[in-house]
Amino acid sequence: MTRAAPDPRKTLDPDRVAQWLACHPDFFVGREGLLQQLKVPHPEARGATSLLERLVHDLRSRAEQAEWRLEQLLESARHNEGQYRRTRELVLALLEAEDNDALGQALATQLAERFHTPAVALWCPASLTDAEPRPPQAPRQVLDDHAGQRLAALLDGRTSRCTRLTPTDWKRLLPHVPAPDKAGSCALSRLTLGEPLGYLVLASPDPDHFRASMDTLFTEYVGEVVARLLVRLAPAAP
């Protein structure tokens, strides 16, 4: 009496088979016909497909993913290069300012033209402007207790921050720029150089222009440059 062949699924452990094949990658050399008989689940439809067809599908998918990642890297590189060039032009324009009023105006112009930031305010304490022959010109403002308290509250203990800006706060913190009817957004940075020097406010009527999740590294960098130039350009006290 002939005994039936045992069912391989009941006699071979799939994990051990996979381990054995991994240790013998040349098993299918000379057994190419076996590759064509193997069936695997189709990745996009019901049923099965040949192993070769599945490998082709997987390779194509990997190639498409690699192409997408490469395009993302190139797009990021192009963005970073553009950001660097705009930042470079901004800093060069600030360095050319002959006094603090020209510094504030150059800051507002460069941010509006190169970074789509329509409103800027530069709040400095009276001690930094007392020696000037005339009152500061917009976007510079003399920092008083009320503005200082509100700016500190918006920063909430941080050095810089992006947050919403209500029309009421806009009128108080950017009095030289017409306030929008609805809440906008702003990026705030505390100016310091050994001692407090005031605040830098970048604002937009678009509530999503400065989102709370945004990084504030650029605002902090601009604030550090402006703080140093404010001190350098300030007239000597009599």
Side-chain angles (χ1 to χ4, degrees):
M1 181 176 180
T2 304
R3 299 178 63 181
D7 188 347
R9 292 175 297 179
K10 297 181 180 179
T11 60
L12 296 177
D13 179 47
D15 291 334
R16 295 184 62 183
V17 173
Q19 182 179 4
W20 189 89
L21 288 174
C23 295
H24 299 79
D26 58 346
F27 173 75
F28 289 103
V29 176
R31 299 181 176 90
E32 287 76 8
L34 180 59
L35 284 174
Q36 299 179 8
Q37 298 178 35
L38 295 178
K39 299 294 182 180
V40 293
H42 195 283
E44 298 178 354
R46 293 182 178 180
T49 184
S50 71
L51 179 60
L52 293 177
E53 290 178 353
R54 176 60 184 269
L55 289 174
V56 171
H57 177 277
D58 289 349
L59 289 173
R60 184 183 298 113
S61 178
R62 292 180 184 179
E64 291 174 352
Q65 292 177 7
E67 183 178 358
W68 179 82
R69 286 195 295 269
L70 177 59
E71 181 58 33
Q72 292 295 106
L73 290 173
L74 292 174
E75 182 63 27
S76 178
R78 287 190 289 265
H79 171 76
N80 291 337
E81 180 182 4
Q83 192 80 348
Y84 162 75
R85 291 182 180 278
R86 291 191 294 271
T87 303
R88 176 177 177 271
E89 294 300 324
L90 165 64
V91 173
L92 291 177
L94 297 181
L95 291 174
E96 293 176 355
E98 298 181 353
D99 55 41
N100 279 336
D101 277 343
L103 174 67
Q105 292 165 11
L107 179 65
T109 299
Q110 291 292 319
L111 287 173
E113 293 180 354
R114 302 186 186 280
F115 296 93
H116 308 291
T117 302
V120 176
L122 192 56
W123 288 88
C124 298
S127 59
L128 195 62
T129 62
D130 285 344
E132 296 183 6
R134 61 177 184 173
Q137 303 297 304
R140 295 172 65 211
Q141 305 289 339
V142 178
L143 185 65
D144 55 25
D145 291 340
H146 182 62
Q149 292 173 2
R150 187 56 192 149
L151 285 163
L154 287 173
L155 278 174
D156 193 25
R158 309 174 200 181
T159 301
S160 60
R161 183 189 183 196
C162 294
T163 186
R164 297 290 293 272
L165 191 66
T166 66
T168 300
D169 280 335
W170 186 298
K171 293 175 183 178
R172 182 65 189 90
L173 301 179
L174 298 112
H176 55 287
V177 181
D181 296 331
K182 299 181 179 179
S185 58
C186 68
L188 308 173
S189 183
R190 192 188 309 272
L191 304 179
T192 57
L193 190 60
E195 60 179 347
L197 295 177
Y199 299 87
L200 173 63
V201 183
L202 313 182
S204 171
D206 181 359
D208 294 323
H209 190 82
F210 296 106
R211 299 183 301 276
S213 59
M214 290 178 61
D215 186 87
T216 57
L217 182 62
F218 173 76
T219 309
E220 293 175 12
Y221 172 70
V222 173
E224 290 173 354
V225 173
V226 169
R228 284 160 172 77
L229 292 176
L230 283 172
V231 174
R232 181 183 299 177
L233 296 173

